[in-house]
Amino acid sequence: MKVANIKEREIRANELVTEAKLANFAFLANMLLDLFGLDVAFQKYVKPKREGQIVEMHFPTLNGSITFILTRDRKEFQAQVKKPENPVAKVIINVKREKTTLLAGKIIRLKSNIFGLMRIFPHILTRKLKIKGSWAAAIALCRVLMVGKNQIYKEK
Protein backbone atom coordinates (compact mmCIF):
# COMPACT_ATOMS: atom_id res chain seq x y z
CA MET A 1 0.00 0.00 0.00
CA LYS A 2 2.85 2.40 0.76
CA VAL A 3 4.53 1.65 -2.58
CA ALA A 4 1.34 2.60 -4.44
CA ASN A 5 1.13 5.91 -2.56
CA ILE A 6 4.75 6.73 -3.35
CA LYS A 7 4.25 6.03 -7.07
CA GLU A 8 1.08 8.13 -7.12
CA ARG A 9 2.97 10.98 -5.48
CA GLU A 10 5.79 10.72 -8.02
CA ILE A 11 3.33 10.75 -10.91
CA ARG A 12 1.49 13.75 -9.44
CA ALA A 13 4.79 15.56 -8.80
CA ASN A 14 5.87 15.03 -12.42
CA GLU A 15 2.49 16.31 -13.64
CA LEU A 16 2.87 19.43 -11.48
CA VAL A 17 6.36 20.08 -12.85
CA THR A 18 5.21 19.86 -16.47
CA GLU A 19 2.15 22.00 -15.72
CA ALA A 20 4.40 24.60 -14.07
CA LYS A 21 6.70 24.65 -17.13
CA LEU A 22 3.74 25.24 -19.43
CA ALA A 23 2.33 27.92 -17.13
CA ASN A 24 5.71 29.67 -17.00
CA PHE A 25 6.01 29.63 -20.78
CA ALA A 26 2.49 31.05 -21.18
CA PHE A 27 3.24 33.73 -18.58
CA LEU A 28 6.51 34.64 -20.30
CA ALA A 29 4.81 34.83 -23.70
CA ASN A 30 2.19 37.18 -22.25
CA MET A 31 4.82 39.30 -20.52
CA LEU A 32 7.16 39.50 -23.53
CA LEU A 33 4.35 40.54 -25.85
CA ASP A 34 3.09 43.04 -23.32
CA LEU A 35 6.54 44.61 -22.91
CA PHE A 36 8.20 44.16 -26.31
CA GLY A 37 5.40 43.22 -28.70
CA LEU A 38 4.85 45.41 -31.70
CA ASP A 39 1.35 46.74 -32.41
CA VAL A 40 2.22 46.81 -36.10
CA ALA A 41 2.68 43.02 -36.13
CA PHE A 42 -0.77 42.46 -34.65
CA GLN A 43 -2.40 44.83 -37.13
CA LYS A 44 -0.46 43.52 -40.12
CA TYR A 45 -0.48 39.75 -39.62
CA VAL A 46 -3.78 39.08 -37.84
CA LYS A 47 -6.31 39.82 -40.53
CA PRO A 48 -9.91 40.66 -39.51
CA LYS A 49 -11.12 37.25 -40.69
CA ARG A 50 -8.52 35.57 -38.41
CA GLU A 51 -9.43 37.58 -35.33
CA GLY A 52 -10.82 35.34 -32.60
CA GLN A 53 -9.43 32.14 -34.08
CA ILE A 54 -7.84 29.69 -31.65
CA VAL A 55 -4.34 28.34 -32.24
CA GLU A 56 -2.96 25.57 -30.05
CA MET A 57 0.74 25.15 -29.31
CA HIS A 58 1.20 21.53 -28.26
CA PHE A 59 4.24 20.12 -26.44
CA PRO A 60 4.14 16.28 -26.69
CA THR A 61 7.14 15.82 -24.39
CA LEU A 62 5.47 17.93 -21.70
CA ASN A 63 2.07 16.37 -22.44
CA GLY A 64 0.30 19.71 -22.52
CA SER A 65 -0.89 22.61 -24.63
CA ILE A 66 -0.99 26.38 -24.61
CA THR A 67 -3.96 28.11 -26.22
CA PHE A 68 -3.59 31.39 -28.09
CA ILE A 69 -6.56 33.43 -29.31
CA LEU A 70 -5.58 35.65 -32.23
CA THR A 71 -6.50 39.29 -31.81
CA ARG A 72 -5.59 42.52 -33.56
CA ASP A 73 -5.03 44.35 -30.25
CA ARG A 74 -1.78 43.56 -28.41
CA LYS A 75 -3.30 44.40 -25.02
CA GLU A 76 -6.00 41.74 -25.41
CA PHE A 77 -3.63 38.92 -26.44
CA GLN A 78 -3.60 36.10 -23.89
CA ALA A 79 -1.87 32.73 -23.66
CA GLN A 80 -3.64 30.15 -21.52
CA VAL A 81 -2.56 26.70 -20.37
CA LYS A 82 -5.47 24.53 -21.42
CA LYS A 83 -6.57 22.20 -24.16
CA PRO A 84 -8.67 24.17 -26.67
CA GLU A 85 -12.03 22.86 -27.76
CA ASN A 86 -11.88 23.62 -31.48
CA PRO A 87 -8.52 25.02 -32.65
CA VAL A 88 -8.12 26.26 -36.20
CA ALA A 89 -4.42 25.33 -36.21
CA LYS A 90 -2.12 23.24 -34.08
CA VAL A 91 1.60 24.00 -33.80
CA ILE A 92 3.40 20.96 -32.41
CA ILE A 93 6.86 21.47 -30.90
CA ASN A 94 8.30 17.97 -31.11
CA VAL A 95 11.73 18.15 -29.45
CA LYS A 96 13.27 16.66 -26.34
CA ARG A 97 11.96 17.86 -23.00
CA GLU A 98 15.08 19.94 -22.27
CA LYS A 99 15.00 21.73 -25.63
CA THR A 100 11.35 22.82 -25.70
CA THR A 101 12.05 26.20 -24.13
CA LEU A 102 15.11 26.72 -26.35
CA LEU A 103 13.13 26.28 -29.57
CA ALA A 104 10.21 28.39 -28.33
CA GLY A 105 12.66 31.09 -27.19
CA LYS A 106 14.38 31.02 -30.57
CA ILE A 107 11.06 31.62 -32.31
CA ILE A 108 10.26 34.54 -30.00
CA ARG A 109 13.64 36.27 -30.56
CA LEU A 110 13.40 36.20 -34.37
CA LYS A 111 12.44 39.21 -36.44
CA SER A 112 8.94 39.15 -37.86
CA ASN A 113 9.89 39.21 -41.52
CA ILE A 114 10.50 36.72 -44.32
CA PHE A 115 14.01 35.99 -43.06
CA GLY A 116 12.63 35.12 -39.62
CA LEU A 117 10.24 32.67 -41.26
CA MET A 118 13.11 31.22 -43.27
CA ARG A 119 14.96 30.50 -40.01
CA ILE A 120 11.94 28.51 -38.77
CA PHE A 121 11.68 26.49 -42.00
CA PRO A 122 14.55 24.05 -41.19
CA HIS A 123 12.73 23.07 -38.00
CA ILE A 124 9.63 22.32 -40.06
CA LEU A 125 11.67 20.18 -42.48
CA THR A 126 13.25 18.19 -39.65
CA ARG A 127 9.77 17.74 -38.07
CA LYS A 128 10.81 19.47 -34.84
CA LEU A 129 8.02 21.91 -35.58
CA LYS A 130 4.80 20.59 -37.11
CA ILE A 131 1.76 22.55 -38.22
CA LYS A 132 -1.64 20.91 -38.53
CA GLY A 133 -4.67 22.78 -39.74
CA SER A 134 -4.56 26.34 -41.02
CA TRP A 135 -1.03 27.30 -41.95
CA ALA A 136 -2.05 30.95 -42.25
CA ALA A 137 -3.28 31.08 -38.64
CA ALA A 138 -0.18 29.24 -37.37
CA ILE A 139 2.17 31.58 -39.25
CA ALA A 140 0.20 34.60 -38.00
CA LEU A 141 0.72 33.35 -34.44
CA CYS A 142 4.43 32.80 -35.03
CA ARG A 143 4.84 36.26 -36.56
CA VAL A 144 3.00 37.88 -33.67
CA LEU A 145 5.20 36.03 -31.17
CA MET A 146 8.39 37.20 -32.93
CA VAL A 147 9.55 40.33 -31.09
CA GLY A 148 13.05 40.57 -32.62
CA LYS A 149 12.34 43.93 -34.31
CA ASN A 150 11.99 45.68 -30.96
CA GLN A 151 14.58 48.35 -30.06
CA ILE A 152 16.02 46.13 -27.31
CA TYR A 153 17.38 43.69 -29.92
CA LYS A 154 19.15 46.31 -32.02
CA GLU A 155 22.92 46.23 -31.77
CA LYS A 156 24.80 49.42 -31.00
Side-chain angles (χ1 to χ4, degrees), residues 2 59 66 80 89 91 111 123 141 152:
K2 288 184 179 183
F59 299 90
I66 299 175
Q80 302 167 352
V91 178
K111 290 185 178 181
H123 298 294
L141 173 70
I152 197 166

Side-chain angles (χ1 to χ4, degrees), residues 70-116:
L70 296 178
T71 179
R72 293 177 59 84
D73 187 15
R74 180 173 57 98
K75 303 281 187 214
E76 294 178 12
F77 188 81
Q78 286 293 319
Q80 302 167 352
V81 180
K82 67 177 185 177
K83 184 84 171 162
E85 291 180 21
N86 193 12
V88 172
K90 187 175 188 178
V91 178
I92 302 169
I93 297 182
N94 194 22
V95 292
K96 292 181 181 177
R97 189 180 187 111
E98 301 83 30
K99 296 190 178 194
T100 54
T101 54
L102 293 174
L103 182 58
K106 184 177 182 178
I107 292 170
I108 289 173
R109 286 190 310 267
L110 291 173
K111 290 185 178 181
S112 180
N113 56 19
I114 193 71
F115 298 112

